[in-house]
Amino acid sequence: MTTTHAPGRVCVLGSANVDDVREVDRFPRPGETVFARSRTRVPGGKGLNQAIAAARAGAATALRARIGRDEEGRMLRAAAAGAGVDTAGMLEVPAATGSAAILRDGAGENSIVVAGGANAAFTELTADDLAAIAAADVLLLQGEVPVVALEQAAVHARDHGTRVILTPAPVQEFGADLLSAVDLLVPNEHEACALAGLEDPRAAARALTATRRRVLITLGGRGAALVDPTGTVQEIPSVPVRAVDTTGAGDAFCGALAARLAAGAELPEAARWAAAAAALSVTREGSATSPAREEVEQLLDRPPV
């Protein structure tokens, strides 16, 4: 059975992109051309995806992002607002809205190339950004905006008692000041290995538990593993589903995780809840397709088969 918690406050600081998705039978080899079965343009970007996921999971969610003064920026603002996200922090800058080119194969796997656009202009936090961070229970960060903004946000959050979660995707040169302010690091297995310089994901996660930080490493269809600073590993099981599109599954996981932690759930329970949310998200097409709170609770309350 799931446990009911009061809604919490989540501030997401990160990217907002328009995803250009092309369906292919298989990924092209270098120098090869393949035909796409279809093409769609949908809202995306790790920051936007995670904010939508947190809002749908029941948190009062604010997104701090940078978008262009263009049709794409208006599309992203409307998508966030439609999911119940506070969009006052989606500020317009003189640059094109960020975009991502996504290839998705017949197995639901994806390959992504991001053009930062307005996201790259997120190099300084406003007074309103700082106030939103201080007012939140959880600050959720990712690697698709400049590290200088992430560092300023994380240090401000730490100084004001806001819990900091970092998804190090894509992996950048995250400095010591940023990492020391992070309470929970949530990499996938490839990101964990890249950050730690190791080949084994669980060994990499143990190496990343510096400054008494906990690490929750996502393992795709194999679930997740929670590692504490003592090196103890707690396995978080996956929820078996038929995957249609894995784009944004990690963002669904992180947004739901932040929402449950903000509501007062303990980390293992929040991680199990997030795993269920991520499982539901891959049964739908698109990167901003996180399930509603009620859907996740119904899945978790379903008797095992």
Side-chain angles (χ1 to χ4, degrees):
M1 296 290 291
T2 57
T3 303
T4 300
H5 297 275
R9 298 164 297 173
V10 173
C11 179
V12 181
L13 187 145
S15 58
N17 296 326
V18 172
D19 291 347
D20 188 327
V21 184
R22 303 184 186 218
E23 301 274 358
V24 295
D25 291 324
R26 60 176 178 80
F27 297 133
R29 294 183 289 270
E32 181 185 21
T33 299
V34 298
F35 288 104
R37 298 192 304 272
S38 65
R39 176 194 178 195
T40 55
R41 293 174 74 248
V42 295
K46 291 186 177 299
L48 179 67
N49 292 346
Q50 292 184 2
I52 289 175
R56 288 181 174 164
T61 305
L63 174 60
R64 316 303 297 188
R66 303 296 183 257
I67 55 176
R69 300 186 181 102
D70 48 30
E71 177 187 352
E72 287 79 8
R74 291 188 290 274
M75 170 188 174
L76 297 182
R77 188 187 299 278
V85 175
D86 179 351
T87 63
M90 297 179 69
L91 304 184
E92 294 181 352
V93 297
T97 295
S99 62
I102 301 176
L103 293 182
R104 187 170 64 218
D105 70 6
E109 295 296 330
N110 60 76
S111 180
I112 305 173
V113 179
V114 175
N119 298 306
F122 204 160
T123 56
E124 187 174 355
L125 274 60
T126 67
D128 286 342
D129 291 330
L130 295 173
I133 291 167
D137 298 300
V138 173
L139 171 66
L140 188 51
L141 304 171
Q142 329 80 36
E144 287 185 341
V145 298
V147 171
V148 62
L150 302 178
E151 181 178 306
Q152 185 181 359
V155 170
H156 186 74
R158 179 193 60 196
D159 292 345
H160 287 79
T162 300
R163 191 174 196 166
V164 181
I165 301 175
L166 171 65
T167 308
V171 173
Q172 297 194 53
E173 291 293 330
F174 301 113
D177 287 344
L178 168 58
L179 292 176
S180 66
V182 171
D183 298 297
L184 177 63
L185 191 67
V186 189
N188 65 24
E189 52 193 317
H190 308 294
E191 293 152 1
C193 291
L195 283 171
L198 299 171
E199 295 184 0
D200 178 75
R202 285 174 173 77
R206 284 191 290 271
L208 292 170
T209 57
T211 66
R212 302 203 59 77
R213 174 197 317 120
R214 288 192 282 185
V215 176
L216 179 58
I217 180 170
T218 59
L219 303 167
R222 304 193 309 281
L226 175 60
V227 186
D228 69 22
T230 69
T232 302
V233 179
Q234 182 174 350
E235 301 291 339
I236 307 297
S238 63
V239 179
V241 294
R242 181 182 178 277
V244 172
D245 181 5
T246 61
T247 309
D251 296 331
F253 182 97
C254 290
L257 176 74
R260 298 305 288 169
L261 291 173
E266 295 297 324
L267 183 51
E269 178 195 341
R272 287 190 291 271
W273 208 94
L280 285 172
S281 77
V282 304
T283 65
R284 307 161 182 182
E285 294 185 357
S287 62
T289 55
S290 296
R293 175 177 177 172
E294 296 76 15
E295 296 176 275
V296 179
E297 291 174 343
Q298 288 173 9
L299 179 62
L300 289 171
D301 287 341
R302 186 180 304 165
V305 178

